Amino acid sequence: MLNISEEDLFLNLENLWQHFGRQPKYHEVTKPLSKYSVGTYEKRFGTFYNALEALIKAVNGEVQMKK
């Protein structure tokens, strides 16, 4: 697996969130809008939903992002 930082993964999700004006849906995490596939998020966080939860916690300052 590539060494992609959580920060890069979260920035990608934030860009998608801004693009759609709402939380991105599973099937929307595709190129060319997304740099990473939904599978990348599943491998790192277990599920796509877990990735979204981790993003929200990081944005709210509840956890520190791993670089």
Side-chain angles (χ1 to χ4, degrees):
M1 184 167 140
L2 296 173
N3 263 343
I4 305 167
S5 70
E6 281 188 7
E7 184 177 14
D8 286 341
L9 291 171
F10 289 161
L11 284 172
N12 186 64
L13 282 178
E14 287 177 8
N15 289 336
L16 290 171
W17 205 304
Q18 289 174 352
H19 173 80
F20 292 112
R22 57 167 167 71
Q23 177 180 308
K25 297 178 182 176
Y26 184 93
H27 69 276
E28 296 172 331
V29 183
T30 58
K31 291 185 178 185
L33 293 176
S34 179
K35 284 175 63 176
Y36 309 110
S37 72
V38 76
T40 301
Y41 289 98
E42 291 174 327
K43 286 176 188 168
R44 176 68 63 89
F45 298 97
T47 68
F48 179 63
Y49 181 76
N50 287 347
L52 291 172
E53 280 191 328
L55 169 65
I56 292 166
K57 287 179 180 179
V59 168
N60 289 336
E62 296 175 33
V63 294
Q64 286 251 316
M65 278 189 271
K66 297 176 189 168
K67 294 198 179 203

